[in-house]
Amino acid sequence: MRNQKAWMAALLSTTLLFSGAALSAPKAYADDDDSLPVFTKAKPALDTKRFVSEWMSDIFTKAVAFAGTDKDYADIRDALAAGSTLAEATGLGSELSQKLLVLADSGLSQVSQNYSVSAEQLDTLRTELYNEIQAAVSTPGYVAEVEKGKFDFSSLLGQRLAEAKSIAVGMSDEEPIDIEDALSGGQSLLGAAQVDKASLVSALAAPVLDEIEAAVNAKRISAEEGSKLTDKTLSSIESAIAAPGGVQAAAASSSVTASVYAPAKFNASAFIRQHLRSIASDAYLVAEKDDLEFDELKRSYLDGVPLTQLTDLPAYTLATRILKLWEPELADLPEATRSDVLEQALRSISEAVSTGVSANK
């Protein structure tokens, strides 16, 4: 039997995947630790347009995180689709702008450390980002318009299937190495992990089905199409976890999954956003404090206490430990793509663990 704390944290990570707080940030991190994925130490020139674009690309996710438990993902998106502003949809009003600006300042504080940039360029960047944030939170239907018609079911399902093995390992009482050996020997993921089929299917399907429902409610897809995608989600997952050799082996022969596993289609931003939603449970898993309770950690984090403070670990140390939990899911990517994703992820994790998310509205 494995360490109970690790088992609980892995399972909680699955449970919280689409219900926890998420804070992500653009690519801008330089790694100087030799024990983990090595990225360039040279300071590159700053592409301000790309920085602003990437920071703004998931402003909806940031806003949902700040809304805490008062508003859920679907409610906020439905309100936007109906013409509300992001400030109105989250119920935060002007407070949302203030919170996003604080988060933006946190990201901007890293710029001079990681990029070759003058004080004048930094001031210009700050002004541009502030203006974009103010426009986003005050424009009726802003995010709904940006996301209109964008529902990539194949990528969504494919990325969820890519996480199937790590989720099954988290739910299983078997040792990870034993599961790997069983898969190598031709067993299915379901047989190798020896977990309940209904529970594994439910854990894998839940976030995908939530996204389908949200897409239907936002009128991005029809109810009929949503029903068909729901059936396809369940059948694809059931087939994948029952396939000899595991999900990756199934992808090689499946028209549904093979295309979404293609490296060119890998959505790094979606991968990072999904994993940041379970950042609290990941931090709990890698923390060294024996007296740390998960419920207390999550509650304090939502109340605004940074995970660095709760775990007594520096941001970089905590971020690199969490990154190691994510790395196995990227093993099949080409090295260049993998390094780029790891760089973005490390930057995003570092910002997330340094910022608490207030749920006290």
Side-chain angles (χ1 to χ4, degrees):
M1 298 289 284
R2 293 174 296 138
N3 180 276
Q4 185 70 9
K5 176 180 175 182
W7 178 86
M8 289 178 62
L11 182 57
L12 283 165
S13 179
T14 299
T15 305
L16 295 173
L17 184 61
F18 270 70
S19 61
L23 294 172
S24 60
K27 171 183 174 183
Y29 214 82
D31 185 13
D32 59 3
D33 183 273
D34 294 333
S35 65
L36 285 154
V38 178
F39 312 120
T40 178
K41 296 180 182 180
K43 290 185 177 182
L46 177 66
D47 184 339
T48 57
K49 290 185 178 180
R50 178 177 179 178
F51 184 96
V52 173
S53 176
E54 291 187 349
W55 199 97
M56 293 296 298
S57 67
D58 62 353
I59 191 170
F60 177 68
T61 303
K62 294 180 173 75
V64 171
F66 282 129
T69 57
D70 288 350
K71 300 275 188 176
D72 65 26
Y73 186 88
D75 289 340
I76 294 174
R77 189 153 59 184
D78 288 347
L80 287 167
S84 294
T85 65
L86 194 55
E88 294 168 343
T90 58
L92 297 177
S94 61
E95 187 180 0
L96 177 61
S97 292
Q98 297 169 9
K99 289 179 177 295
L100 288 169
L101 292 178
V102 170
L103 185 61
D105 283 335
S106 177
L108 290 169
S109 68
Q110 300 287 330
V111 168
S112 60
Q113 299 177 31
N114 302 314
Y115 288 97
S116 176
V117 57
S118 67
E120 183 178 358
Q121 287 178 310
L122 192 59
D123 287 341
T124 300
L125 175 61
R126 179 176 288 104
T127 299
E128 290 178 359
L129 185 55
Y130 278 17
N131 289 341
E132 288 288 336
I133 292 172
Q134 296 291 4
V137 301
S138 60
T139 301
Y142 174 84
V143 178
E145 182 62 28
V146 169
E147 292 190 342
K148 186 177 181 180
K150 295 182 179 179
F151 184 68
D152 190 348
F153 171 75
S154 292
S155 293
L156 181 64
L157 176 60
Q159 290 208 6
R160 194 58 179 154
L161 288 174
E163 298 165 351
K165 183 168 68 174
S166 62
I167 290 172
V169 169
M171 297 174 66
S172 175
D173 288 333
E174 301 298 308
E175 291 288 347
I177 190 170
D178 292 336
I179 295 177
E180 289 286 358
D181 289 344
L183 291 172
S184 298
Q187 286 194 40
S188 67
L189 180 60
L190 190 61
Q194 296 187 31
V195 295
D196 178 69
K197 178 181 177 180
S199 297
L200 181 56
V201 170
S202 177
L204 290 170
V208 181
L209 299 183
D210 286 346
E211 286 292 297
I212 292 172
E213 181 181 5
V216 171
N217 292 338
K219 301 188 182 334
R220 294 159 69 197
I221 59 175
S222 67
E224 181 180 0
E225 185 178 2
S227 178
K228 291 179 179 179
L229 293 180
T230 295
D231 291 342
K232 180 177 287 189
T233 297
L234 296 174
S235 62
S236 297
I237 290 174
E238 289 179 359
S239 296
I241 64 175
V247 175
Q248 293 290 351
S253 59
S254 169
S255 60
V256 174
T257 56
S259 62
V260 296
Y261 276 112
K265 292 182 177 293
F266 186 81
N267 189 328
S269 296
F271 172 84
I272 293 170
R273 285 198 300 271
Q274 287 183 1
H275 282 69
L276 285 174
R277 286 167 182 154
S278 60
I279 193 72
S281 55
D282 286 345
Y284 174 77
L285 178 59
V286 301
E288 297 176 339
K289 294 177 66 176
D290 292 333
D291 60 345
L292 188 62
E293 295 291 336
F294 177 76
D295 287 342
E296 180 181 347
L297 178 144
K298 182 188 175 187
R299 182 169 54 253
S300 298
Y301 175 60
L302 293 174
D303 284 344
V305 182
L307 290 169
T308 49
Q309 180 178 332
L310 294 168
T311 59
D312 290 338
L313 290 172
Y316 185 76
T317 299
L318 181 56
T320 50
R321 289 184 182 183
I322 291 174
L323 183 62
K324 278 191 171 293
L325 297 178
W326 301 8
E327 281 191 71
E329 297 174 32
L330 305 173
D332 294 328
L333 292 177
E335 184 57 33
T337 302
R338 180 175 175 275
S339 295
D340 187 57
V341 175
L342 287 170
E343 183 178 353
Q344 293 182 55
L346 186 60
R347 172 67 177 86
S348 298
I349 297 170
S350 296
E351 182 169 311
V353 300
S354 302
T355 310
V357 182
S358 177
N360 296 324
K361 307 294 182 277

